[in-house]
Amino acid sequence: MLILFKGYYKKLASSFLNKKYLQMSLPQLSPELLDQRPDLLPGHTQLLALPERIIQFGTGVLLRGLPDFFVNKANQQGIFNGRIVVVKSTSTGGTDAFSEQKNIFSHSIRGIQDGEQIDEIVINTAISRTLAAAESWEQILECARNPDIKIAISNTTEVGIQLVDDDLLASPPKSFPGKLTAYLYERYKTFSGSAESGMVIVPTELIVGNGTKLREIVLEQAERHNLGKAFTEWLEFNNHFCNSLVDRIVPGKPDSATIAELSERQGFRDDLLIVSEVYSLWAIEGDEKVTSALSFAPADKGVVIAPNIDLFRELKLRLLNGTHTLASGLSYLHGENTVREAMENPETASYISDVMLKELAPAIPYELELSVAEDFGGKVLDRFRNPFIRHQLIDITVQYTAKMKMRNVPTLLNHYKNSNTAPEQFAKGFAAFLQFMKPVLHKDGGFYGERNGELYSIRCDSAAYFDEKWKNAASPLDLAHQVLSDAELWGADLTLLPGFEDAVKEHIIVSQTA
């Protein structure tokens, strides 16, 4: 038996090494490869010659998998006809994949759409240059002097849109808003504050009101640096800072097996390869001027420009994020580790569908047709079933309490505006949340729960609160009452909702006796 196992692992290792060797022996994606293999991207010469029309702060996979995807698609359709200058916040200190591949990369799009499995590869030529801010600040300011570059995009993480004590004369300023302010000031001076030189600025950082917040910080930086009333007025009246919402799962660097598989299939090596789900949404708040400037939008229905994008935010927050929150602890304690595993188990899959479509969708605290919510929910379920994405349930439970409060409690309260009947599936998910938040070990500053004899980390700022509540509660039912009645924690006393406390307790009893 031991000899058989040795033979198996030897064969497995040999297979892996052969795939690795094959991958390394393949040609690297580059303009030269496209010249040699025009079948990979017909018309690539014209696409690579398009003028620069966008400056983008950030090189992350979300930007490449969403905004850059839309721009590339529009270019291939002959709609937008413009490329992107990318600003990197850090320098690699030497050549990197962007320079080696002349900024060309491949994008594997995999998942479920309308019940059908999608698996396609797109070659993206939308990026013209990548410039490191620390080394190429003058070149970046030269872009501000280019009349054709009228759009700015960013994704510098939520922390990136912060007001800090910055120096706009530095090369470069240290913060993203500082860099943007200096960039806009250079543009203002170059074009003498003309109305036509104003820009459309679309941050994609995952905070509510990202455009509004960025605008406020830029105006504050302009005032702090005494850049003048005329510049402030130009900022306010000739530039459009658009709130936006992005929604697409674009994981980090694919694992080695995925890279090997896709490299063999494509026939080339790509060190910038990204993988994403099929679903995509970029909702942008803007008027007719914004719509005119963002002329790539018609290339894909995933780009939505509207005067108000609250509907899209509510749908995502209540149905996708809200369902994640209610189902993550329940599915994890049930034994599943990923969203996909939960969707492959009939019991948890049924729960996820029921809580989303039967309880959350009708109770969204926003005025909309139920059919709109149900249609969105159906797409979310397709996304949850994606066989190519491994979304860890334990990661969804990070800051579990804050997520439950923000994503789900408003929906629960709105449910009771229309009904005095407790939402059973919601109560079941809430009961699982309480049980997940039961620490059995406090070690090295962290709290740990237990599932089937194994510890898991409770990564939540309220972990200490629950540790104290569980220790002092006379029983799990007493714990439920104490937590539900904590109006300071939830913003409302949830025991006052008819039948909800009893429903939560009933699910705790069932789980305790199971």
Side-chain angles (χ1 to χ4, degrees), residues 217-456:
I217 295 173
V218 168
L219 288 170
E220 177 63 25
Q221 290 287 15
E223 183 176 339
R224 287 187 178 188
H225 289 80
N226 300 311
L227 299 184
K229 182 179 179 182
F231 174 58
T232 298
E233 291 179 347
W234 179 80
L235 284 175
E236 289 184 314
F237 298 111
N238 300 124
N239 292 268
H240 300 267
F241 291 79
C242 305
N243 294 322
S244 84
L245 171 72
V246 290
D247 188 8
R248 190 177 217 178
I249 297 173
V250 190
K253 185 175 180 178
D255 58 52
S256 57
T258 300
I259 293 174
E261 173 205 339
L262 292 174
S263 297
E264 183 177 358
R265 184 169 132 200
Q266 295 174 146
F268 58 79
R269 176 167 53 90
D270 178 10
D271 293 335
L272 294 174
L273 169 69
I274 62 170
V275 177
S276 81
E277 64 174 335
V278 180
Y279 180 85
S280 62
L281 173 67
W282 190 13
I284 303 167
E285 210 163 74
D287 56 16
E288 293 180 359
K289 289 184 178 180
V290 171
T291 302
S292 176
L294 305 182
S295 57
F296 54 79
D300 193 285
K301 62 182 180 181
V303 184
V304 178
I305 304 174
N308 188 303
I309 62 171
D310 288 347
L311 168 62
F312 303 99
R313 180 174 294 109
E314 283 296 311
L315 286 170
K316 178 178 184 289
L317 183 65
R318 308 304 173 190
L319 296 188
L320 190 151
N321 300 135
T323 302
H324 264 161
T325 300
L326 282 170
S328 58
L330 183 147
S331 299
Y332 184 80
L333 294 177
H334 191 269
E336 279 79 54
N337 292 309
T338 67
V339 174
R340 176 185 170 185
E341 289 177 13
M343 294 302 294
E344 290 173 344
N345 183 301
E347 184 178 342
T348 47
S350 177
Y351 170 80
I352 289 169
S353 178
D354 287 348
V355 75
M356 180 194 297
L357 299 179
K358 295 180 180 179
E359 294 186 354
L360 297 180
I364 292 176
Y366 189 87
E367 188 172 338
L368 76 161
E369 294 291 331
L370 179 59
S371 60
V372 174
E374 290 174 338
D375 178 66
F376 184 86
K379 293 175 181 176
V380 169
L381 291 174
D382 275 349
R383 298 171 70 185
F384 287 177
R385 296 186 188 102
N386 192 337
F388 301 106
I389 301 293
R390 292 186 58 82
H391 200 169
Q392 299 292 330
L393 292 167
I394 197 70
D395 291 339
I396 299 173
T397 65
V398 174
Q399 299 302 353
Y400 207 168
T401 309
K403 289 177 178 177
M404 186 68 75
K405 177 180 180 180
M406 180 179 69
R407 298 172 174 181
N408 295 111
V409 170
T411 311
L412 175 65
L413 297 176
N414 199 56
H415 166 87
Y416 274 97
K417 289 183 179 179
N418 305 314
S419 171
N420 281 326
T421 303
E424 283 294 327
Q425 303 304 320
F426 192 115
K428 185 176 182 179
F430 200 95
F433 156 72
L434 293 178
Q435 291 164 303
F436 181 93
M437 294 297 295
K438 179 181 180 180
V440 298
L441 178 66
H442 182 199
K443 181 181 179 182
D444 299 329
F447 293 88
Y448 298 85
E450 183 179 358
R451 180 187 72 168
N452 298 330
E454 295 184 354
L455 296 177
Y456 59 83

Side-chain angles (χ1 to χ4, degrees), residues 480-495:
H481 177 78
Q482 289 188 41
V483 174
L484 286 168
S485 63
D486 192 338
E488 185 176 346
L489 180 63
W490 304 115
D493 183 344
L494 303 185
T495 63

